[in-house]
Amino acid sequence: MHEVSLNEIGRTLNLTADDMEPLEQAHVRFPVRITPGLLARIDPSDPLDPIRRQFIPSPEELIRADHESADPLNETKSSPVSGLIHKYPGRVLILTSCRCPVHCRFCFRKTNLPRSLTGLSGSELDRIADYIRNDCSIHEAIFSGGDPLMCSDPELGALVELMSTIPHIETVRVHTRVPVVWPERITDGLVRILTSGKPLWVVLHINHSLELDDSSRDAIRRLADTGIPLLNQAVLLRGVNDDAAVLADLSRTLIRNRVHPYYIHFLDPVLGTAHFAVSLAKARRLIRILREILPGFAVPRLVRDLPGKHSKTEHLKEC
Ligand code: SF4
């Protein structure tokens, strides 16, 4: 995959030296990363373009609010072995890769992502397998990261096969942005690996319908055609999708592409993201409107992750 440089971003979006300065500062803290395909979908004449806002840092990212933290979900406390998070009963998260094809400026794992370019080592994988084997209450393995589809085919194949050898693992879930931001990665070989083990679900992360183009729609279709269930979890982001018409359009686009709009998450308060925050009152208002204009299955569940809770906290009932 071609790595897009800051200069290329500057040229494509017609950024001035003044625009580049905060971008370079933000890049030092959390490297700017965007795929060529996604960069090409940004309208350079629109400073409020929803793709630009998600992937190109704004000066506000350099501001640190008091309530923000480097690890807002306290995940390090829920990691009994390196590369595994066991927060919720019955399921574990395996941090298969520290790499992502894009860096979302609001990512709650942003402080961990650039720490390594390699995936799990053999000994880490052994310890993860032992941990899961020794706890029969774990029925689901969630491949997360970074982005699990940044693993090579052999690495991913080994993980899928490993899960097949553990009898109490019933399902595997893959959390990924790759089909949308780097659709060329969804090859026949990759699809064969994903369908070779335990029943597997793919959870996409799409926040705005403009993220999809013909090639990403095609990648999603190829996954859906194999029978892999597809869900979407979006993040509610000020200036990106905090608008009922935008959210309704996203839901309809997902349904048309056979993706269930499953969750809409509150922003996790990681460092430098206050400019993306949406109030609970506004979020509830948006969901109320969606309920009026969409069929029930197309309305995502409004949730937030809170440190110390044994499941996601849902805000639907109060809406
Ligand atoms: S793709 Fe996911 S893990 Fe990667 S930067 Fe975006 S939100 Fe974070």
Side-chain angles (χ1 to χ4, degrees):
M1 185 181 55
H2 167 69
E3 286 276 339
V4 179
S5 68
L6 289 191
N7 284 340
E8 235 172 312
I9 293 173
R11 272 197 309 276
T12 310
L13 302 181
N14 305 321
L15 300 182
T16 63
D18 281 352
D19 296 329
M20 287 301 282
E21 200 184 313
L23 191 141
E24 280 157 6
Q25 286 175 34
H27 178 70
V28 174
R29 297 179 182 184
F30 180 40
V32 178
R33 186 168 293 161
I34 185 165
T35 53
L38 211 50
L39 180 62
R41 269 172 255 163
I42 298 178
D43 174 359
S45 67
D46 181 5
L48 303 177
D49 181 285
I51 299 178
R52 177 180 185 152
R53 190 156 165 85
Q54 290 185 69
F55 301 103
I56 309 298
S58 71
E60 295 152 302
E61 187 173 317
L62 301 170
I63 302 167
R64 300 281 153 101
D66 286 347
H67 69 287
E68 292 174 343
S69 127
D71 180 13
L73 302 185
N74 224 345
E75 286 193 323
T76 39
K77 284 234 166 78
S78 309
S79 179
V81 291
S82 169
L84 178 140
I85 294 173
H86 193 179
K87 197 162 58 164
Y88 297 152
R91 51 212 188 269
V92 288
L93 232 73
I94 302 176
L95 304 180
T96 56
S97 154
C98 299
R99 291 163 290 158
C100 284
V102 290
H103 279 171
C104 314
R105 305 317 297 175
F106 49 87
C107 175
F108 73 91
R109 293 210 182 105
K110 64 174 13 175
T111 50
N112 290 329
L113 284 183
R115 84 184 134 83
S116 155
L117 285 179
T118 58
L120 294 165
S121 68
S123 56
E124 278 177 316
L125 207 51
D126 288 345
R127 280 194 291 274
I128 287 172
D130 285 347
Y131 182 86
I132 299 176
R133 275 201 189 93
N134 288 329
D135 186 342
C136 292
S137 73
I138 300 170
H139 298 303
E140 186 183 35
I142 302 171
F143 295 174
S144 184
D147 198 307
L149 298 190
M150 291 298 280
C151 295
S152 66
D153 281 2
E155 284 170 336
L156 205 57
L159 277 162
V160 169
E161 199 181 324
L162 180 64
M163 294 307 125
S164 299
T165 66
I166 305 178
H168 51 273
I169 288 293
E170 296 168 358
T171 48
V172 170
R173 228 194 297 168
V174 174
H175 283 191
T176 178
R177 275 205 131 182
V178 161
V180 175
V181 302
W182 184 28
E184 302 80 17
R185 173 74 183 98
I186 311 301
T187 59
D188 290 346
L190 177 70
V191 170
R192 266 197 301 279
I193 290 168
L194 295 178
T195 49
S196 66
K198 296 278 171 88
L200 180 142
W201 293 53
V202 168
V203 182
L204 300 169
H205 171 183
I206 307 169
N207 298 319
H208 196 292
S209 61
L210 283 180
E211 291 167 47
L212 293 169
D213 68 357
D214 284 347
S215 22
S216 49
R217 276 188 288 269
D218 188 54
I220 291 171
R221 182 191 55 72
R222 273 179 276 132
L223 290 170
D225 283 351
T226 65
I228 294 175
L230 300 172
L231 308 175
N232 187 58
Q233 1 189 35
V235 182
L236 187 59
L237 298 166
R238 194 198 309 167
V240 174
N241 58 10
D242 60 333
D243 175 275
V246 168
L247 287 177
D249 180 49
L250 173 63
S251 277
R252 280 196 296 265
T253 304
L254 292 169
I255 297 288
R256 267 201 312 280
N257 288 281
R258 292 182 281 169
V259 182
H260 177 216
Y262 182 45
Y263 278 147
I264 184 140
H265 278 263
F266 273 98
L267 181 76
D268 299 309
V270 71
L271 300 173
T273 56
H275 55 298
F276 285 116
V278 177
S279 71
L280 181 57
K282 178 163 190 186
R284 287 175 175 163
R285 254 195 329 272
L286 290 169
I287 295 294
R288 262 199 307 270
I289 298 172
L290 292 187
R291 283 171 163 175
E292 286 166 11
I293 58 180
L294 292 174
F297 73 99
V299 179
R301 293 163 67 187
L302 178 63
V303 292
R304 92 162 91 197
D305 269 312
L306 290 171
K309 296 271 183 186
H310 291 298
S311 63
K312 291 186 194 304
T313 302
E314 193 162 355
H315 291 286
L316 265 182
K317 293 186 187 72
E318 301 95 325
C319 293

